Amino acid sequence: KNKEIIRKIVTITVFILVIAGTYLLGRNLPRDVADWYSSEAFPSIAAIPQRISSLTGISLTEITVVVLGCLALPLLIFWLVMLVKRSLTRGIGRFLYKSLRNTLAVIMVCLILFEFLHGFNYRRTPARSMLGLGTEQLELDDYFEAFEWAYQGMIKARSELEEDERGVARMSSDFEETSRYVSYVVDSFCASYKIARYKCPARAKS
C-alpha cells in the first residue's frame, strides 16, 4: 500500500514538474534559440501536421478548441455525477486521484503540443527588429495613424469590388487564387527585406 501511495505521489509530481518546466521554457526561451528553432527545427516538426491541416479549408486548431469547449460542460456534469456516486460508495479517493492524474496528463500533452507548434515561435526576433524599424515604444497617435491608413485603404478596395444581390462584396478572384497571390506577395516581401522564407508554408484558411 505504501508503494502504491509513493507511486501515485511520484506520478502527480512528475506531471506537475513537466507542466511547470514546459511553461517556463516557453516563456524564457533565449531569442537566438527561438530563431534557430523556428527556422530549422520547426519546419520538420510541423511538416506532417501542416500537411494534414492543409487538406481542409478551415483551421484544425479552431475546430479542436470549439469541440473541447462544447464537450466541457457535459464532461463536467458527468464527472460530478460520478463524484456523487463514488462518495456514496467506496473508492472516492481513487476516483479523485485518477481525475487529477488524467487532468494533469491532458494539460501536459496539450501544453507540450502548443509550445512546440506555437509557443516557442513567439520568442523569435520581433518583426520590428528584423525590418530595422527601431525599438522605441509607439504612442497612441501612431496606432491611430496606422489604423486610419488601413481603414481608408479598405474603403478604397471595397469601392472597387462588385456586389451580390445582398450587397455583399464579391472578390475579384476565388479564394485559392487569392491565397496563392498572397503567398507570392509574402515571399517577395521577405526577399526585399532579406528575411529567410519559411520552409514549410501552410495553406491559407478561409
Side-chain angles (χ1 to χ4, degrees):
K1 186 176 181 180
N2 290 336
K3 287 183 179 181
E4 183 179 355
I5 293 175
I6 293 174
R7 179 181 59 80
K8 290 179 179 179
I9 293 175
V10 170
T11 299
I12 297 299
T13 303
V14 168
F15 283 172
I16 293 175
L17 289 176
V18 172
I19 291 171
T22 304
Y23 176 82
L24 292 174
L25 179 61
R27 299 302 176 276
N28 299 282
L29 193 68
R31 183 146 290 161
D32 54 346
V33 176
D35 288 339
W36 174 86
Y37 174 81
S38 64
S39 62
E40 301 298 331
F42 179 72
S44 299
I45 294 175
I48 294 178
Q50 284 188 344
R51 283 198 180 98
I52 296 175
S53 177
S54 295
L55 296 176
T56 68
I58 54 179
S59 168
L60 296 183
T61 301
E62 291 176 355
I63 292 177
T64 302
V65 171
V66 171
V67 170
L68 291 178
C70 293
L71 290 177
L73 183 58
L75 288 175
L76 177 61
I77 294 174
F78 174 77
W79 183 84
L80 290 173
V81 171
M82 293 300 298
L83 179 64
V84 172
K85 181 179 177 181
R86 295 291 185 180
S87 64
L88 296 176
T89 58
R90 289 186 175 183
I92 187 171
R94 182 182 296 273
F95 175 74
L96 290 174
Y97 162 73
K98 287 184 177 180
S99 298
L100 177 61
R101 180 199 63 190
N102 295 342
T103 301
L104 290 175
V106 171
I107 293 174
M108 181 180 68
V109 171
C110 290
L111 183 59
I112 290 174
L113 288 175
F114 172 80
E115 292 296 347
F116 276 93
L117 295 177
H118 297 285
F120 291 162
N121 290 310
Y122 296 157
R123 299 291 300 171
R124 290 176 295 179
T125 300
R128 287 177 60 82
S129 299
M130 296 174 66
L131 300 176
L133 299 177
T135 58
E136 69 277 3
Q137 291 294 322
L138 297 177
E139 301 294 334
L140 185 60
D141 289 341
D142 297 322
Y143 288 102
F144 275 121
E145 183 180 352
F147 176 82
E148 181 67 20
W149 172 81
Y151 181 65
Q152 294 301 328
M154 287 187 286
I155 291 177
K156 181 177 182 299
R158 175 66 175 81
S159 65
E160 297 174 359
L161 295 175
E162 297 179 355
E163 295 181 351
D164 61 15
E165 63 278 1
R166 295 176 299 172
V168 178
R170 281 198 297 243
M171 297 174 65
S172 56
S173 59
D174 62 25
F175 181 77
E176 293 298 332
E177 183 180 346
T178 302
S179 298
R180 288 193 294 270
Y181 176 70
V182 169
S183 296
Y184 165 76
V185 171
V186 172
D187 290 342
S188 300
F189 179 86
C190 291
S192 298
Y193 284 90
K194 304 297 187 294
I195 299 174
R197 181 178 177 273
Y198 182 49
K199 298 178 180 179
C200 188
R203 176 187 179 187
K205 304 298 185 182
S206 56

